[in-house]
Amino acid sequence: MPPSPDPAAAAGVAPVVAPDALRTLLTGERSGRVVLLEVRRELGPADARRTGVPGALLVGLTADLVGTPREGTGSLPLPDRAQVQDRVERWGVDPDSVVVVYTRDQPALAARAWWTLRWAGVPDVRYLDGGLDAWVAAGGPLGEHSEPPGSGALRVTLGSLPVLDDDGAAALARSGLLLDARGTHAYAGGVTGGHVPGAHHLPSTANLDGLGRLRRADALRATYDAVGLAEGVEVGAYCGGGTSATLDVLALATLGVTAALYPGSWSAWSSDPSRPVATGDRPG
């Protein structure tokens, strides 16, 4: 199965928005509301006292967009339909809304939120390139966060982006291009024990420049071509718990390529001692 265009991109929806373009979205006239989500791994008491992009809603990734771990699911499983539907309604997401996700922390947190909402069928979700730092650097104002309006009318449809299970990841590592987005030590066989046999190493940080923004399209294309991206090759990605790898999926989406995510990632793979493990700096 060859890499295919991302459905949202095919409909003219860009997965990434620059700070200046976000300001235009917020000040321009459009039929649907713009829903801003500031994503933290977990929310604490101090978060409510901080300022962000004015009007943004605070989102705790693990509480809002991650399901309950069970045997074999990995550490950060996908949420069920009821959980995502509840959050989408609470955040006021309508069928014609533009949802913009950003973070002041690790970029992968916002990328995982982007991926999860797109997987749940939210049609227009955009990742703020560079996060809050880029917004401020571009002259964007800071302001108070908003309370969720609780009036969203969108009905979610899970499975709108492709996923891999354990067996699917093993098969893709042999038939296509499976990317391991963890660091070099983890991939080679450090404390986390190696990688899925046949997986190619491409750290998620390879998608970012020194300022935490996605690299230019030509640089991204060269990076992925170097590990085997080519016409007719199916692509998937994993990491430790299914978060960092979403940066690969996002970066590939900007190139017009749909990559599958292995949500269970290494935390699921390594939980079964019968599964093979490769070590060293080669796919194996």
Side-chain angles (χ1 to χ4, degrees), residues 147-245:
E147 292 296 322
S151 57
L154 177 75
R155 307 304 294 176
V156 301
T157 305
L158 304 189
S160 295
L161 289 182
V163 297
L164 298 168
D165 59 13
D166 301 328
D167 292 338
L172 183 60
R174 298 303 183 188
S175 66
L177 178 61
L178 181 65
L179 302 171
D180 186 317
R182 296 173 299 156
T184 300
H185 189 59
Y187 176 84
V191 293
T192 53
H195 56 272
V196 176
H200 290 256
H201 187 222
L202 185 67
S204 62
T205 52
N207 296 300
L208 304 173
D209 65 15
L211 297 175
R213 297 178 173 90
L214 287 171
R215 295 167 66 201
R216 291 164 49 100
D218 55 349
L220 288 173
R221 174 65 69 175
T223 296
Y224 283 96
D225 287 351
V227 293
L229 179 66
E231 186 175 355
V233 175
E234 187 178 0
V235 187
Y238 75 95
C239 52
T243 297
S244 294

Side-chain angles (χ1 to χ4, degrees), residues 20-41:
D20 288 344
L22 175 57
R23 294 182 75 169
T24 300
L25 270 177
L26 293 172
T27 58
E29 293 184 5
R30 61 180 317 277
S31 57
R33 72 177 74 179
V34 177
V35 180
L36 292 166
L37 303 178
E38 179 177 321
V39 185
R40 309 299 307 275
R41 183 176 294 277

Side-chain angles (χ1 to χ4, degrees), residues 238-251:
Y238 75 95
C239 52
T243 297
S244 294
T246 57
L247 276 173
D248 286 352
V249 180
L250 175 67

